[in-house]
Structures are given as structure tokens and as C-alpha cells.
Amino acid sequence: LELPHRAGSVDGMPVSVLILRGFEVRSFASYSQEDLSEWMISMMEQRALCLHNQSVREGRLAKVVEAKDCMGFSFSQLLGAPRVLRSLSKIAVHADQYPEMMGSLVLFNLDPGMRSMRVIRKMIGLLCPAVLHKVVFAETGD
């Protein structure tokens, strides 16, 4: 996978990697909205502190590259789980409060074909419209 220079971490920015294959929609739905919001705010505050320290140390604004391995994960399963989508939309509000922290969101190992990318674009556009221009899509084999 070759990323465009603007989306890679060749400039020394931190990368956060998550393998989505292990994400279980039913388990996610079992958490209360309060717990999910507390987790998201806590994660964002910790990340803000780390990026601030790196920014001060390097004399430039540090941003994180979010990399998500999508192999074996079906985004369409989220469309059949309205409670999960509502929860995601509510915690996405917290992420919108920290837009300067994300340099890019790289979704890789996507199933080939435009269908999955259309579903993902639509979901991101609904949940975090300010992030959509930062997303890099890479199908399996790219």
C-alpha cells in the first residue's frame, strides 16, 4: 500500500492502528451511551495531551494518522444496527471537538468494488462530515 505523501507518517507523526475485524456490533451496542461518551472523551483528552507535548517538543502542530485495517469487516452490518449508529453519531460529536488532532484517516484492506466505499463515505458523511476530506480509501491489493 503506497499512501500519498500528505496522508502518510513519513513526517514523523504518530499512527493509531485498529483492526476492525475484532469489532463486534452486539458488544458495542451493550455499552451505555454514558460509558461510550466517557471513553471517547478520555481517549481524546489523552491524545490531545500527547500531541500537545509532541508539538511543543518539535515546534510544529502534531497530528495523528488513524489507520484502520478493514479486512473481514462488513460496514453494511452497521446499517442494520440503528442503535449502534445512534451511539456512533453521539460519540462522533466528541471527535468533532478535536478536528485538529487527526491528520488523516486511512481505511485499508477494503473489499474490492465501489459498493463498500459508497457505504463508508455515506456513514462518515453522516457521522463526521468534517473528517470526510481527510479519508484515504485503499482496497485489498492496492
Side-chain angles (χ1 to χ4, degrees):
L1 172 66
E2 288 187 37
L3 299 174
H5 178 70
R6 67 169 177 76
S9 62
V10 295
D11 55 357
M13 293 297 130
V15 177
S16 173
V17 180
L18 180 65
I19 300 171
L20 293 179
R21 181 177 31 221
F23 179 80
E24 295 183 21
V25 173
R26 288 185 185 153
S27 294
F28 185 84
S30 70
Y31 290 100
S32 72
Q33 187 60 53
E34 183 179 307
D35 287 344
L36 291 172
S37 291
E38 183 178 329
W39 168 79
M40 183 66 161
I41 292 169
S42 174
M43 184 202 54
M44 298 303 286
E45 290 293 327
Q46 290 173 23
R47 183 171 284 172
L49 179 62
C50 292
L51 291 172
H52 170 75
N53 290 340
Q54 182 177 352
S55 296
V56 169
R57 186 175 58 248
E58 297 178 4
R60 63 183 179 149
L61 181 61
K63 296 181 178 192
V64 70
V65 175
E66 294 279 349
K68 310 298 183 208
D69 183 350
C70 302
M71 183 182 291
F73 182 77
S74 170
F75 282 89
S76 61
Q77 69 179 319
L78 295 174
L79 298 177
R83 181 167 183 239
V84 172
L85 284 175
R86 277 193 303 276
S87 292
L88 286 172
S89 68
K90 289 177 182 174
I91 65 172
V93 169
H94 302 301
D96 280 347
Q97 295 172 359
Y98 302 89
E100 71 283 357
M101 291 196 313
M102 185 174 23
S104 61
L105 169 62
V106 181
L107 300 170
F108 63 99
N109 280 333
L110 291 165
D111 291 333
M114 295 305 287
R115 185 175 187 274
S116 62
M117 282 192 253
R118 282 194 304 266
V119 169
I120 297 165
R121 276 186 208 276
K122 187 173 188 174
M123 287 174 42
I124 293 172
L126 291 172
L127 298 175
C128 301
V131 171
L132 196 53
H133 73 281
K134 298 180 178 186
V135 181
V136 176
F137 297 95
E139 295 179 347
T140 301
D142 281 354

